[in-house]
Structures are given as C-alpha cells and as structure tokens.
Amino acid sequence: MIAPMAIVAKDLVKRYGKARALDGFSLSVPEGSIMGLVGPNGAGKTTWMMCVAGLLNADSGEISLFGGGAFDAAEHSGRVAILPQDSELPLEMSPRSLFRTFARLQGLSGKNVDAAADEALAAVHLEDCATKPVRALSHGMRKRVMAGQCFIGDPELLLLDEPMNGLDPEETARLRSLILAGKGRHTTVISSHNLQDLERLCTHVAFADGGRIVQSARIEDIVADGTTLEDAYLRARCGQG
C-alpha cells in the first residue's frame, strides 16, 4: 500500500536572474514521516521550503500539499508551519506575546490562545523569560522562540530549516525530543548539515545538489549494512548513490 503524500513537488524551477536556485527539484514527502533534507549551501533546500510554504512562487513546476494543490491560505492556514533558517523577531515583544500572536494566526481563540502560548513556552524551556523583550534574549533563546512557534496549534506539516543551529546541547536534545514526539502525527521536513542528528530523527532522507534531488529513500535503506548517512551522502554527491 502506497502511503499518502503530504508534499509532492515536481520539476520546480526558481530563477534569480541567470542563476537557478531550483533546477528541476522533485521530492515527495510521505504523510507522518520525518524527512531529512541534506545538501551543500546553495543546493536549493531553503528555496524549496519557501515555495512549499507559499512564501515564494516557483517559475515552473508543480506543488501539491495533502493532495490539494499548492499552498492556499484559505485551505492550508493553520496546517503548515515553517522555521526559517534566519529570521528576525520584533525586539520589543516578549516570547509570551509572540506565542499568543502566533496562536491567533493559527486560528486559536479565547482561553486556547493562552494555553497554547504557555505550552510552547514550556516546550522550548523559556518560562523564565516569558515576559522579557526579545532584545534582551540571547541568540539561542531567540532561536528557541522561533522553534516553539512551529508547534503552536498542532500543524500537520512542519518545515524546519537548520532548527538546531545556535542551540546548546541540552536545548538541542530537548528539540529533538519535541520533534520525535510528533512522529506520525506531524509530517516534518528538516534541512540540516548535522547528519548525526538526522540519523537519530528521520524516517526518510533526501540529498539535494545543484537545485535538484539526487537521491531520496527511507533512512533504513540508506544506512543499511553499516553505512553511515555521511557515507551515503558523499557517494550520492559523487554520482555513486
């Protein structure tokens, strides 16, 4: 039985002048999976996520979310969350006020807004900083705010771009546990250069290079027989995968 797909992207092309950030990028992500997206800087990973989330328009190709076409706010609002690799937060707002805002954007109302904000604060270990302005937070704390907002409202699809960057070992482990707790309930795509993290977390993995996918498979098939994810990735980049 073929698993339903949360994301189907076919032959995506995105140009910036003469450069192609996406050059025939095709990837299918099964519902309920944790997909690791691996590739060098400039491989198209972030651009693909932005297209999937509806923040960029591809020049050509097709995207379908949950079998219902490309991102549409009326159809997919509250169902998709994204953690950009680099993001700026309003410096005078606090984590609690930001989480309350994100909760309302996810369609929550009334007491559910405060409950969701408090749950997100606990999930990313920011209760003690709940009312501090963002300008008073460290880089790692700000990254935790951005990570926490992804889980508000229990969205079906999470797009996480380098989610562990800037986190200390304890908070990295906490975020790993948070991601794993949603396995099978969320569909999660994680772009990361930390292949050990992806081996621990992912059910599937895809290797990107030059604006396209060069290999995609279940993690158990790629790391079988003692092969590490790093070994498999290097083989794929050399055209041996």
Side-chain angles (χ1 to χ4, degrees), residues 83-101:
L83 169 61
Q85 181 178 359
D86 298 306
S87 53
E88 297 293 335
L89 296 168
L91 295 180
E92 300 307 318
M93 291 185 74
S94 68
R96 174 170 279 126
S97 61
L98 280 167
F99 285 159
R100 293 184 79 257
T101 299

Side-chain angles (χ1 to χ4, degrees), residues 2-141:
I2 299 176
M5 295 293 155
I7 306 171
V8 176
K10 294 182 179 179
D11 300 323
L12 297 186
V13 173
K14 179 63 179 178
R15 301 180 185 88
Y16 293 100
K18 294 182 179 180
R20 290 194 178 202
L22 301 178
D23 189 18
F25 197 111
S26 297
L27 179 63
S28 296
V29 181
E31 287 188 17
S33 66
I34 302 177
M35 170 73 78
L37 189 55
V38 183
N41 295 332
K45 307 183 298 296
T46 295
T47 301
W48 176 80
M49 283 191 175
M50 299 289 275
C51 289
V52 169
L55 300 174
L56 283 177
N57 291 321
D59 295 311
S60 62
E62 299 177 0
I63 299 173
S64 180
L65 301 181
F66 308 106
F71 181 87
D72 179 86
E75 172 66 22
H76 300 112
S77 180
R79 300 177 69 186
V80 180
I82 185 168
L83 169 61
Q85 181 178 359
D86 298 306
S87 53
E88 297 293 335
L89 296 168
L91 295 180
E92 300 307 318
M93 291 185 74
S94 68
R96 174 170 279 126
S97 61
L98 280 167
F99 285 159
R100 293 184 79 257
T101 299
F102 285 126
R104 288 193 292 269
L105 290 172
Q106 286 294 84
L108 302 181
S109 60
K111 294 181 179 179
N112 291 331
V113 170
D114 289 330
D118 289 341
E119 185 176 343
L121 287 166
V124 293
H125 200 210
L126 284 173
E127 301 101 314
D128 291 344
C129 304
T131 60
K132 290 183 178 180
V134 166
R135 59 178 165 74
L137 303 181
S138 69
H139 173 74
M141 289 176 178

Side-chain angles (χ1 to χ4, degrees), residues 7 48-50 52-53 80-84 150 157-161 187-191:
I7 306 171
W48 176 80
M49 283 191 175
M50 299 289 275
V52 169
V80 180
I82 185 168
L83 169 61
C150 289
L157 174 61
L158 305 176
L159 303 170
L160 309 179
D161 197 355
T187 302
T188 304
V189 181
I190 305 172
S191 172

Side-chain angles (χ1 to χ4, degrees), residues 166-189:
L167 300 183
D168 62 37
E170 182 179 352
E171 296 304 332
T172 295
R174 187 185 295 270
L175 183 54
R176 275 198 224 101
S177 296
L178 193 59
I179 293 169
L180 285 172
K183 183 179 178 181
R185 188 174 79 253
H186 306 295
T187 302
T188 304
V189 181

Side-chain angles (χ1 to χ4, degrees), residues 34 164 176 179-180 190 196-203:
I34 302 177
M164 280 50 161
R176 275 198 224 101
I179 293 169
L180 285 172
I190 305 172
Q196 290 183 336
D197 267 340
L198 295 184
E199 277 197 53
R200 296 176 185 177
L201 289 169
C202 295
T203 60

